[in-house]
Amino acid sequence: MHPAYSVIFFTTASGAGYGLITMMALFGVLNGVKLDPWFGTIGFGLGTVLITGGLLSSTAHLGHPERAWRALSQWKSSWLSREGVLAVATYVPLALTAWSWIVEGSLEGPFGLFAVALALLCVLTVHATAMIYATLRTISAWHNKRTVPVYLSFALLTGSVWFHALAQVFGYQTPVQAAIVAIGLLLVMFLKRSYWRTIDLTPGASTPESATGLGNIGKVRLLDNPTMTETFVQREMGFSIARRHSLKLRRLAFLGYCAIPFALTLLTSQAAPAVAVPGTLAAAICVSFGVVIERWLFFAEAKHVSMLYYGAQSS
């Protein structure tokens, strides 16, 4: 698939935003961090900017962005519509939780319920985003049971690593925060490695023989290109990346979202502020850089079944 930069930014930015806001809400309601108004303003503000910027960028991939609102009406059958509905609904408990943290200075009673609802809606929205891809049977690399856990684990990682960095800046860091970052790092390492292994070793369900219905005759091969020039389908669905480039980018992504942040978190999270603050900020930046590469590969390595009609031997 052709990696659309607007969708890459949407999935990475919104995942980080929802992860950060989830961490803010849960640590706030569980008294895991002081309800400092400035900490709340920056934390919820950064999360809101990431979410809103990601949602707005996703409309740039549409042929008619002005009609994006119509997608909300198909929530009974479309995961894209459900994602939109959940994303919009999230702003209500987000505003209430931010108000209660920053202005009221309390997340007790009904304010605590708002925070819990906010965290739940954030998780459900990321889940809906992942389901948009996981339910596409025409793309075997996405239509597997690892797609949703990968999206959720990356949201946990990016959100927790930025939350940890902000907590270090304000002096509210705890070993629990570093432990959650470590858990997120281990999850993405295991799940993404499993995902890549699956798409490398498991052939797609469709073949030229099954696509044309001529499998009972024998091997099917392309005699001539179906079109004289490159079509929209070939440009969008037929993007391919050389295996050697894919492996290099996978290693670079792994260094960014796992290896380097793990070392930085382990070595600097409990150090003096002069070391811990730049160390955890560097870890957050490295994770974000690595996730962008990972998400680019998520699209670039995916093969659409329609390419079987243009000479591909497997989906």
Side-chain angles (χ1 to χ4, degrees):
M1 294 288 290
H2 184 269
Y5 295 111
S6 59
V7 178
I8 292 171
F9 178 77
F10 157 59
T11 55
T12 54
S14 63
Y18 286 122
L20 173 58
I21 289 176
T22 299
M23 295 294 292
M24 293 287 295
L26 293 180
F27 267 82
V29 77
L30 295 174
N31 296 318
V33 68
K34 182 180 178 181
L35 301 185
D36 183 332
W38 282 109
F39 181 58
T41 299
I42 294 178
F44 285 114
L46 177 59
T48 303
V49 168
L50 289 170
I51 291 171
T52 305
L55 291 173
L56 291 176
S57 72
S58 68
T59 63
H61 192 59
L62 303 176
H64 294 278
E66 71 278 4
R67 301 177 186 173
W69 62 272
R70 295 184 179 180
L72 302 179
S73 64
Q74 306 301 313
W75 57 271
K76 291 184 178 180
S77 59
S78 168
W79 279 104
L80 177 62
S81 182
R82 291 166 188 162
E83 176 204 39
V85 171
L86 287 168
V88 172
T90 301
Y91 282 101
V92 177
L94 172 56
L96 293 171
T97 302
W99 171 269
S100 57
W101 180 313
I102 299 168
V103 179
E104 300 293 336
S106 172
L107 284 178
E108 298 179 355
F111 295 136
L113 295 178
F114 297 150
V116 173
L118 173 60
L120 178 60
L121 281 173
C122 286
V123 173
L124 291 176
T125 304
V126 175
H127 176 268
T129 301
M131 287 299 293
I132 295 173
Y133 304 103
T135 54
L136 294 178
R137 295 178 180 273
T138 53
I139 304 176
S140 59
W142 298 348
H143 187 62
N144 68 68
K145 61 183 180 180
R146 292 164 182 80
T147 299
V148 173
V150 164
Y151 264 72
L152 290 171
S153 63
F154 271 110
L156 169 65
L157 174 60
T158 51
S160 62
V161 75
W162 277 108
F163 179 81
H164 186 214
L166 290 177
Q168 288 282 3
V169 171
F170 283 86
Y172 300 141
Q173 74 280 359
T174 64
V176 174
Q177 297 165 8
I180 293 175
V181 173
I183 291 172
L185 289 166
L186 293 174
L187 277 175
V188 298
M189 180 181 69
F190 171 77
L191 291 172
K192 195 60 190 183
R193 180 180 175 83
S194 176
Y195 171 85
W196 276 328
R197 183 176 177 82
T198 298
I199 66 173
D200 287 343
L201 300 180
T202 306
S206 298
T207 63
E209 292 73 31
S210 65
T212 59
L214 300 175
N216 59 325
I217 297 177
K219 184 70 174 177
V220 175
R221 63 183 178 87
L222 184 68
L223 295 178
D224 199 4
N225 290 327
T227 58
M228 295 289 290
T229 59
E230 187 180 56
T231 66
F232 171 81
V233 173
Q234 289 172 290
R235 288 194 301 272
E236 291 296 313
M237 310 297 184
F239 184 90
S240 61
I241 178 173
R243 177 64 176 165
R244 63 181 184 278
H245 297 319
S246 177
L247 289 175
K248 290 179 181 177
L249 289 174
R250 287 184 184 183
R251 296 188 185 106
L252 184 60
F254 176 78
L255 286 174
Y257 69 67
C258 190
I260 296 176
F262 190 87
L264 288 172
T265 301
L266 181 66
L267 296 174
T268 67
S269 62
Q270 298 301 313
V275 175
V277 171
T280 51
L281 284 173
I285 293 171
C286 283
V287 167
S288 299
F289 175 75
V291 174
V292 169
I293 300 175
E294 179 274 335
R295 204 51 48 87
W296 188 90
L297 283 170
F298 177 75
F299 291 97
E301 293 181 318
K303 299 178 182 179
H304 195 279
V305 70
S306 63
M307 288 301 99
L308 294 173
Y309 295 99
Y310 294 88
Q313 293 302 305
S314 67
S315 61

PDB file of all heavy atoms in Angstrom, residues 86-105:
ATOM      1  N   LEU A  86     -16.400   7.798  18.529  1.00  0.00           N
ATOM      2  CA  LEU A  86     -15.676   7.688  19.799  1.00  0.00           C
ATOM      3  C   LEU A  86     -14.713   8.858  19.984  1.00  0.00           C
ATOM      4  O   LEU A  86     -14.571   9.380  21.097  1.00  0.00           O
ATOM      5  CB  LEU A  86     -14.905   6.370  19.832  1.00  0.00           C
ATOM      6  CG  LEU A  86     -15.745   5.107  20.014  1.00  0.00           C
ATOM      7  CD1 LEU A  86     -14.914   3.861  19.732  1.00  0.00           C
ATOM      8  CD2 LEU A  86     -16.324   5.037  21.417  1.00  0.00           C
ATOM      9  N   ALA A  87     -14.051   9.270  18.894  1.00  0.00           N
ATOM     10  CA  ALA A  87     -13.113  10.387  18.985  1.00  0.00           C
ATOM     11  C   ALA A  87     -13.818  11.670  19.399  1.00  0.00           C
ATOM     12  O   ALA A  87     -13.323  12.430  20.237  1.00  0.00           O
ATOM     13  CB  ALA A  87     -12.392  10.575  17.650  1.00  0.00           C
ATOM     14  N   VAL A  88     -14.987  11.912  18.812  1.00  0.00           N
ATOM     15  CA  VAL A  88     -15.751  13.113  19.164  1.00  0.00           C
ATOM     16  C   VAL A  88     -16.257  13.020  20.600  1.00  0.00           C
ATOM     17  O   VAL A  88     -16.196  13.989  21.365  1.00  0.00           O
ATOM     18  CB  VAL A  88     -16.927  13.306  18.182  1.00  0.00           C
ATOM     19  CG1 VAL A  88     -17.833  14.441  18.652  1.00  0.00           C
ATOM     20  CG2 VAL A  88     -16.405  13.606  16.780  1.00  0.00           C
ATOM     21  N   ALA A  89     -16.745  11.831  20.975  1.00  0.00           N
ATOM     22  CA  ALA A  89     -17.287  11.648  22.324  1.00  0.00           C
ATOM     23  C   ALA A  89     -16.207  11.825  23.390  1.00  0.00           C
ATOM     24  O   ALA A  89     -16.503  12.259  24.512  1.00  0.00           O
ATOM     25  CB  ALA A  89     -17.915  10.263  22.445  1.00  0.00           C
ATOM     26  N   THR A  90     -14.962  11.521  23.050  1.00  0.00           N
ATOM     27  CA  THR A  90     -13.867  11.625  24.014  1.00  0.00           C
ATOM     28  C   THR A  90     -13.652  13.056  24.494  1.00  0.00           C
ATOM     29  O   THR A  90     -13.211  13.279  25.633  1.00  0.00           O
ATOM     30  CB  THR A  90     -12.565  11.082  23.392  1.00  0.00           C
ATOM     31  OG1 THR A  90     -12.763   9.714  23.018  1.00  0.00           O
ATOM     32  CG2 THR A  90     -11.410  11.165  24.375  1.00  0.00           C
ATOM     33  N   TYR A  91     -13.977  14.022  23.651  1.00  0.00           N
ATOM     34  CA  TYR A  91     -13.736  15.420  24.031  1.00  0.00           C
ATOM     35  C   TYR A  91     -14.583  15.856  25.233  1.00  0.00           C
ATOM     36  O   TYR A  91     -14.189  16.770  25.958  1.00  0.00           O
ATOM     37  CB  TYR A  91     -14.031  16.347  22.846  1.00  0.00           C
ATOM     38  CG  TYR A  91     -12.925  16.372  21.820  1.00  0.00           C
ATOM     39  CD1 TYR A  91     -13.026  15.638  20.648  1.00  0.00           C
ATOM     40  CD2 TYR A  91     -11.773  17.134  22.024  1.00  0.00           C
ATOM     41  CE1 TYR A  91     -12.015  15.657  19.710  1.00  0.00           C
ATOM     42  CE2 TYR A  91     -10.762  17.162  21.084  1.00  0.00           C
ATOM     43  CZ  TYR A  91     -10.882  16.417  19.920  1.00  0.00           C
ATOM     44  OH  TYR A  91      -9.874  16.442  18.989  1.00  0.00           O
ATOM     45  N   VAL A  92     -15.718  15.223  25.452  1.00  0.00           N
ATOM     46  CA  VAL A  92     -16.582  15.621  26.574  1.00  0.00           C
ATOM     47  C   VAL A  92     -15.924  15.294  27.917  1.00  0.00           C
ATOM     48  O   VAL A  92     -15.689  16.187  28.744  1.00  0.00           O
ATOM     49  CB  VAL A  92     -17.974  14.968  26.458  1.00  0.00           C
ATOM     50  CG1 VAL A  92     -18.828  15.329  27.674  1.00  0.00           C
ATOM     51  CG2 VAL A  92     -18.665  15.420  25.169  1.00  0.00           C
ATOM     52  N   PRO A  93     -15.588  13.998  28.207  1.00  0.00           N
ATOM     53  CA  PRO A  93     -14.904  13.731  29.487  1.00  0.00           C
ATOM     54  C   PRO A  93     -13.508  14.344  29.540  1.00  0.00           C
ATOM     55  O   PRO A  93     -13.000  14.620  30.632  1.00  0.00           O
ATOM     56  CB  PRO A  93     -14.846  12.203  29.541  1.00  0.00           C
ATOM     57  CG  PRO A  93     -14.960  11.755  28.135  1.00  0.00           C
ATOM     58  CD  PRO A  93     -15.850  12.752  27.463  1.00  0.00           C
ATOM     59  N   LEU A  94     -12.893  14.581  28.381  1.00  0.00           N
ATOM     60  CA  LEU A  94     -11.583  15.234  28.369  1.00  0.00           C
ATOM     61  C   LEU A  94     -11.690  16.651  28.921  1.00  0.00           C
ATOM     62  O   LEU A  94     -10.891  17.059  29.773  1.00  0.00           O
ATOM     63  CB  LEU A  94     -11.028  15.260  26.945  1.00  0.00           C
ATOM     64  CG  LEU A  94      -9.737  16.073  26.712  1.00  0.00           C
ATOM     65  CD1 LEU A  94      -8.626  15.603  27.637  1.00  0.00           C
ATOM     66  CD2 LEU A  94      -9.312  15.985  25.252  1.00  0.00           C
ATOM     67  N   ALA A  95     -12.682  17.394  28.444  1.00  0.00           N
ATOM     68  CA  ALA A  95     -12.868  18.768  28.928  1.00  0.00           C
ATOM     69  C   ALA A  95     -13.224  18.776  30.411  1.00  0.00           C
ATOM     70  O   ALA A  95     -12.708  19.597  31.185  1.00  0.00           O
ATOM     71  CB  ALA A  95     -13.962  19.452  28.108  1.00  0.00           C
ATOM     72  N   LEU A  96     -14.096  17.848  30.833  1.00  0.00           N
ATOM     73  CA  LEU A  96     -14.521  17.802  32.236  1.00  0.00           C
ATOM     74  C   LEU A  96     -13.368  17.392  33.160  1.00  0.00           C
ATOM     75  O   LEU A  96     -13.201  17.955  34.246  1.00  0.00           O
ATOM     76  CB  LEU A  96     -15.692  16.828  32.385  1.00  0.00           C
ATOM     77  CG  LEU A  96     -16.996  17.263  31.706  1.00  0.00           C
ATOM     78  CD1 LEU A  96     -18.012  16.119  31.745  1.00  0.00           C
ATOM     79  CD2 LEU A  96     -17.566  18.501  32.375  1.00  0.00           C
ATOM     80  N   THR A  97     -12.568  16.412  32.719  1.00  0.00           N
ATOM     81  CA  THR A  97     -11.446  15.959  33.537  1.00  0.00           C
ATOM     82  C   THR A  97     -10.379  17.047  33.635  1.00  0.00           C
ATOM     83  O   THR A  97      -9.809  17.294  34.719  1.00  0.00           O
ATOM     84  CB  THR A  97     -10.835  14.677  32.954  1.00  0.00           C
ATOM     85  OG1 THR A  97     -11.844  13.667  32.866  1.00  0.00           O
ATOM     86  CG2 THR A  97      -9.691  14.168  33.822  1.00  0.00           C
ATOM     87  N   ALA A  98     -10.079  17.692  32.508  1.00  0.00           N
ATOM     88  CA  ALA A  98      -9.089  18.770  32.525  1.00  0.00           C
ATOM     89  C   ALA A  98      -9.545  19.917  33.426  1.00  0.00           C
ATOM     90  O   ALA A  98      -8.748  20.486  34.179  1.00  0.00           O
ATOM     91  CB  ALA A  98      -8.848  19.275  31.104  1.00  0.00           C
ATOM     92  N   TRP A  99     -10.833  20.252  33.351  1.00  0.00           N
ATOM     93  CA  TRP A  99     -11.377  21.318  34.202  1.00  0.00           C
ATOM     94  C   TRP A  99     -11.252  20.947  35.688  1.00  0.00           C
ATOM     95  O   TRP A  99     -10.820  21.764  36.507  1.00  0.00           O
ATOM     96  CB  TRP A  99     -12.831  21.571  33.856  1.00  0.00           C
ATOM     97  CG  TRP A  99     -13.540  22.488  34.817  1.00  0.00           C
ATOM     98  CD1 TRP A  99     -14.245  22.145  35.944  1.00  0.00           C
ATOM     99  CD2 TRP A  99     -13.583  23.919  34.760  1.00  0.00           C
ATOM    100  NE1 TRP A  99     -14.731  23.242  36.579  1.00  0.00           N
ATOM    101  CE2 TRP A  99     -14.341  24.368  35.876  1.00  0.00           C
ATOM    102  CE3 TRP A  99     -13.078  24.868  33.883  1.00  0.00           C
ATOM    103  CZ2 TRP A  99     -14.589  25.706  36.121  1.00  0.00           C
ATOM    104  CZ3 TRP A  99     -13.329  26.201  34.120  1.00  0.00           C
ATOM    105  CH2 TRP A  99     -14.070  26.617  35.238  1.00  0.00           C
ATOM    106  N   SER A 100     -11.642  19.722  36.031  1.00  0.00           N
ATOM    107  CA  SER A 100     -11.602  19.311  37.436  1.00  0.00           C
ATOM    108  C   SER A 100     -10.164  19.241  37.960  1.00  0.00           C
ATOM    109  O   SER A 100      -9.911  19.542  39.122  1.00  0.00           O
ATOM    110  CB  SER A 100     -12.292  17.952  37.610  1.00  0.00           C
ATOM    111  OG  SER A 100     -11.688  16.963  36.786  1.00  0.00           O
ATOM    112  N   TRP A 101      -9.209  18.856  37.100  1.00  0.00           N
ATOM    113  CA  TRP A 101      -7.801  18.795  37.501  1.00  0.00           C
ATOM    114  C   TRP A 101      -7.232  20.200  37.665  1.00  0.00           C
ATOM    115  O   TRP A 101      -6.654  20.543  38.696  1.00  0.00           O
ATOM    116  CB  TRP A 101      -7.008  18.024  36.446  1.00  0.00           C
ATOM    117  CG  TRP A 101      -5.531  17.866  36.704  1.00  0.00           C
ATOM    118  CD1 TRP A 101      -4.660  18.845  37.088  1.00  0.00           C
ATOM    119  CD2 TRP A 101      -4.761  16.661  36.593  1.00  0.00           C
ATOM    120  NE1 TRP A 101      -3.388  18.334  37.202  1.00  0.00           N
ATOM    121  CE2 TRP A 101      -3.423  17.007  36.911  1.00  0.00           C
ATOM    122  CE3 TRP A 101      -5.054  15.347  36.240  1.00  0.00           C
ATOM    123  CZ2 TRP A 101      -2.389  16.067  36.881  1.00  0.00           C
ATOM    124  CZ3 TRP A 101      -4.034  14.406  36.215  1.00  0.00           C
ATOM    125  CH2 TRP A 101      -2.720  14.763  36.542  1.00  0.00           C
ATOM    126  N   ILE A 102      -7.389  21.038  36.623  1.00  0.00           N
ATOM    127  CA  ILE A 102      -6.718  22.339  36.579  1.00  0.00           C
ATOM    128  C   ILE A 102      -7.399  23.377  37.464  1.00  0.00           C
ATOM    129  O   ILE A 102      -6.744  24.132  38.187  1.00  0.00           O
ATOM    130  CB  ILE A 102      -6.653  22.840  35.118  1.00  0.00           C
ATOM    131  CG1 ILE A 102      -5.839  21.859  34.262  1.00  0.00           C
ATOM    132  CG2 ILE A 102      -6.056  24.249  35.049  1.00  0.00           C
ATOM    133  CD1 ILE A 102      -5.963  22.096  32.779  1.00  0.00           C
ATOM    134  N   VAL A 103      -8.734  23.424  37.414  1.00  0.00           N
ATOM    135  CA  VAL A 103      -9.489  24.458  38.125  1.00  0.00           C
ATOM    136  C   VAL A 103      -9.919  23.998  39.514  1.00  0.00           C
ATOM    137  O   VAL A 103      -9.675  24.677  40.516  1.00  0.00           O
ATOM    138  CB  VAL A 103     -10.716  24.896  37.303  1.00  0.00           C
ATOM    139  CG1 VAL A 103     -11.515  25.964  38.056  1.00  0.00           C
ATOM    140  CG2 VAL A 103     -10.281  25.428  35.938  1.00  0.00           C
ATOM    141  N   GLU A 104     -10.539  22.814  39.593  1.00  0.00           N
ATOM    142  CA  GLU A 104     -11.051  22.329  40.870  1.00  0.00           C
ATOM    143  C   GLU A 104      -9.958  21.715  41.742  1.00  0.00           C
ATOM    144  O   GLU A 104     -10.090  21.674  42.973  1.00  0.00           O
ATOM    145  CB  GLU A 104     -12.153  21.293  40.637  1.00  0.00           C
ATOM    146  CG  GLU A 104     -13.353  21.816  39.853  1.00  0.00           C
ATOM    147  CD  GLU A 104     -14.127  22.865  40.621  1.00  0.00           C
ATOM    148  OE1 GLU A 104     -14.052  22.865  41.866  1.00  0.00           O
ATOM    149  OE2 GLU A 104     -14.806  23.698  39.974  1.00  0.00           O
ATOM    150  N   GLY A 105      -8.912  21.200  41.103  1.00  0.00           N
ATOM    151  CA  GLY A 105      -7.835  20.581  41.869  1.00  0.00           C
ATOM    152  C   GLY A 105      -8.239  19.292  42.543  1.00  0.00           C
ATOM    153  O   GLY A 105      -7.664  18.902  43.562  1.00  0.00           O
TER     154      GLY A 105
END
